[in-house]
């Protein structure tokens, strides 16, 4: 049997990793400045993370949500402590797409409406409603296109007001810093205005923090840069540092009922152990502060490279914009300099998503590699 061929693959086979280093099957070390789509938040194979999972594995790895699992409560408490998200309840699932799917479903339950407002270049996952709210026709099958979704531009409050006043909207979903779309952001004024209009029209505001959450932008959640309070917050990627996990933070005004949501694997014992380990390391090593600090150093380094036309994003969720498509540059960074970076829908953008415990020394290594390849273009 062959694998279903949906991924264009680089000819690299990682077999081990530690910190910000990935080692392939030939013994070559790579600097990881992408973290597998912002998943590696505390570094590969962090000793506390590994210990936590091993200890849990010796006890119990899994049982369904038909029984008590105190680790889920511990995770919820720790999450509140670090994120300052009081007045929310937590539903645990397995991925960012599943988190957004459940968020949209909750919004429809709560409002008894079905249309969604999403934004140009937004990416929310590949499941039914989540992919319908994703601005990419290539991954929307006819079955997904039955969903009622209106795409708008960031910061066009007039268009937004017109749409929300039609009184058929259940949810507004947005990334405070877009990931796949290319690091675009709404202004604080726009975000605050849509929050106010959502409240006025009883529409659920969903903050998709799947990629931008867990300290990546220098706040625990990226929406916190804008002093707003969403009705629902979705989380995943950096939450488990590689263990598949997702979650939905739900304001208490949205009431639960038995069977409303469900999952077989979500919130299992191993997943909770992984998530608790991540939060403990973020707290103990002050990684949110480090993300902000490393951002300042990163910007300082970019100032010396004239080929970089713009730096987008916040914290350690960054994009370097050039006046050419970066696909070939990414290949050269991997094969010549042994550095992983990311791409985006905007083909001129090099996406940078290192672990939150990255150091100035490793940032220097990255920029030396980048400048070496830019000289050859």
């Amino acid at each position: 049997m062959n694998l279903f061929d949906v991924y264009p693959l680089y000819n690299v086979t990682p077999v081990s990793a530690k910190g910000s280093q990935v080692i392939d099957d030939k013994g070559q070390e790579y600097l990881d400045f992408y973290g597998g789509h912002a998943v590696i938040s505390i570094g590969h194979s962090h000793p506390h993370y590994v210990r936590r999972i091993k200890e849990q594995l010796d006890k119990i790895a899994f049982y369904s949500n038909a029984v008590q699992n105190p680790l889920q409560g511990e995770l919820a408490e720790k999450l509140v402590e670090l994120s300052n998200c009081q007045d929310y309840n937590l539903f645990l699932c397995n991925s960012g797409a599943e988190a957004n799917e459940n968020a949209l479903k909750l919004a429809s339950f709560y409002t008894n409406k079905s249309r969604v407002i999403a934004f140009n270049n937004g990416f929310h996952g590949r499941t039914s409603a989540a992919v319908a709210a994703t601005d990419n026709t290539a991954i929307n099958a006819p079955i997904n296109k039955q969903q009622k979704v209106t795409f708008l531009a960031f910061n066009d409050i007039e268009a937004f007001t017109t749409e929300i006043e039609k009184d058929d909207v259940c949810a507004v979903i947005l990334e405070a810093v877009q990931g796949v779309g290319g690091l675009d952001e709404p202004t604080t004024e726009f975000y605050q205005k849509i929050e106010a209009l959502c409240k006025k029209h009883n529409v659920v505001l969903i903050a998709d923090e799947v990629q931008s959450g867990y300290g990546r932008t220098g706040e625990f959640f990226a929406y916190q840069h804008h002093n707003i309070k969403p009705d629902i917050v979705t989380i995943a990627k950096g939450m488990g540092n590689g263990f598949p996990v997702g979650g939905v933070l739900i304001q208490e005004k949205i009431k639960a009922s038995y069977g409303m949501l469900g999952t077989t694997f979500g919130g299992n014992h191993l997943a909770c152990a992984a998530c608790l380990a991540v939060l403990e390391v973020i707290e103990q090593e002050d990684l949110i502060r480090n993300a902000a600090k490393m951002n300042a150093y990163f910007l300082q380094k970019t100032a010396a490279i004239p080929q970089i036309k713009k730096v987008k994003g916040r914290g350690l969720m960054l994009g370097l914009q050039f006046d050419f498509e970066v696909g070939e540059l990414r290949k050269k960074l991997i094969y010549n300099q042994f550095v992983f970076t990311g791409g985006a829908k905007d083909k001129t953008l090099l996406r940078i998503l290192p672990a939150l415990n990255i150091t100035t020394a490793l940032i220097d290594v990255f920029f030396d590699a980048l400048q070496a390849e830019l000289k050859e273009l």
Side-chain angles (χ1 to χ4, degrees):
M1 181 183 291
N2 294 321
L3 296 175
F4 198 53
D5 190 14
V6 292
Y7 301 117
L9 301 176
Y10 290 108
N11 188 25
V12 178
T13 306
V15 295
S16 64
K18 189 170 184 178
S20 290
Q21 302 294 330
V22 173
I23 299 94
D24 72 9
D25 56 351
K26 300 176 180 64
Q28 177 63 55
E29 292 186 359
Y30 296 78
L31 176 61
D32 188 2
F33 258 54
Y34 190 56
H37 314 303
V39 166
I40 302 301
S41 50
I42 60 170
H44 295 278
S45 305
H46 190 289
H48 180 70
Y49 175 83
V50 172
R51 182 169 57 252
R52 260 289 209 166
I53 291 176
K54 283 182 175 178
E55 288 173 354
Q56 187 59 49
L57 193 58
D58 283 337
K59 298 174 184 175
I60 180 173
F62 169 81
Y63 206 80
S64 77
N65 285 300
V67 298
Q68 299 286 328
N69 181 354
L71 288 172
Q72 293 182 355
E74 287 181 39
L75 174 56
E77 289 177 11
K78 196 67 179 176
L79 190 53
V80 168
E81 182 185 337
L82 268 66
S83 69
N84 198 31
C85 285
Q86 290 85 9
D87 306 322
Y88 288 85
N89 293 313
L90 175 64
F91 176 77
L92 290 164
C93 54
N94 305 284
S95 70
E98 191 180 340
N100 283 327
E101 194 75 26
N102 282 305
L104 291 164
K105 184 177 182 180
L106 283 170
S108 189
F109 271 134
Y110 181 71
T111 62
N112 201 32
K113 297 173 184 177
S114 59
R115 187 161 68 102
V116 174
I117 294 176
F119 293 89
N120 296 346
N121 295 321
F123 187 96
H124 302 291
R126 295 176 183 269
T127 54
S128 184
V131 78
T134 290
D135 184 20
N136 185 343
T137 56
I139 62 173
N140 270 274
I143 195 171
N144 308 127
K145 293 174 184 177
Q146 297 177 84
Q147 308 280 353
K148 301 173 186 176
V149 181
T150 301
F151 290 98
L152 300 175
F154 272 160
N155 305 321
D156 187 345
I157 195 62
E158 188 174 321
F160 182 86
T161 302
T162 297
E163 291 300 327
I164 204 168
E165 286 181 347
K166 292 178 180 177
D167 202 34
D168 62 344
V169 176
C170 71
V172 174
I173 185 167
L174 75 160
E175 304 155 274
V177 182
Q178 291 184 333
V180 174
L183 288 300
D184 288 327
E185 305 177 58
T187 64
T188 294
E189 180 185 19
F190 181 71
Y191 212 158
Q192 291 179 349
K193 282 183 177 177
I194 68 171
E195 179 195 30
L197 285 166
C198 284
K199 286 180 179 176
K200 179 180 177 181
H201 294 280
N202 196 35
V203 172
V204 174
L205 178 58
I206 302 170
D208 180 343
E209 295 281 346
V210 167
Q211 188 170 130
S212 57
Y214 271 65
R216 181 147 294 279
T217 68
E219 293 282 355
F220 195 90
F221 290 126
Y223 75 77
Q224 291 169 330
H225 292 285
H226 303 287
N227 194 29
I228 64 110
K229 185 176 182 180
D231 299 300
I232 295 176
V233 182
T234 56
I235 51 180
K237 294 188 185 298
M239 185 179 181
N241 201 53
F243 197 99
V245 63
V248 190
L249 278 63
I250 307 151
Q251 269 199 31
E252 290 179 348
K253 69 179 184 181
I254 301 173
K255 302 302 181 184
S257 61
Y258 291 150
M260 188 182 200
L261 303 178
T263 170
T264 297
F265 298 106
N268 66 72
H269 297 75
L270 273 183
C272 288
C275 292
L276 281 162
V278 168
L279 290 173
E280 287 158 1
V281 171
I282 286 174
E283 181 180 37
Q284 291 162 9
E285 299 185 8
D286 205 8
L287 296 188
I288 298 175
R289 186 187 299 272
N290 190 64
K293 182 179 176 182
M294 291 302 101
N295 173 269
Y297 187 73
F298 196 93
L299 294 178
Q300 178 186 324
K301 297 287 288 188
T302 62
I305 303 177
Q307 294 97 324
I308 297 173
K309 303 306 176 185
K310 187 176 182 181
V311 183
K312 300 173 73 175
R314 295 174 183 260
L316 291 173
M317 185 177 180
L318 296 166
L320 302 181
Q321 193 153 44
F322 298 88
D323 59 6
F324 56 86
E325 292 192 4
V326 300
E328 193 61 27
L329 175 60
R330 285 185 66 203
K331 287 181 183 178
K332 289 179 180 296
L333 284 170
I334 291 175
Y335 295 131
N336 297 344
Q337 303 296 328
F338 310 111
V339 176
F340 289 155
T341 59
K345 187 176 181 181
D346 179 349
K347 302 301 183 186
T348 68
L349 201 74
L350 192 68
R351 206 147 48 113
I352 308 299
L353 298 160
L356 304 185
N357 51 11
I358 202 73
T359 63
T360 56
L362 290 178
I363 291 174
D364 288 344
V365 172
F366 166 74
F367 276 102
D368 288 345
L370 178 62
Q371 287 181 299
E373 289 307 321
L374 287 174
K375 287 176 184 176
E376 299 299 319
L377 290 178

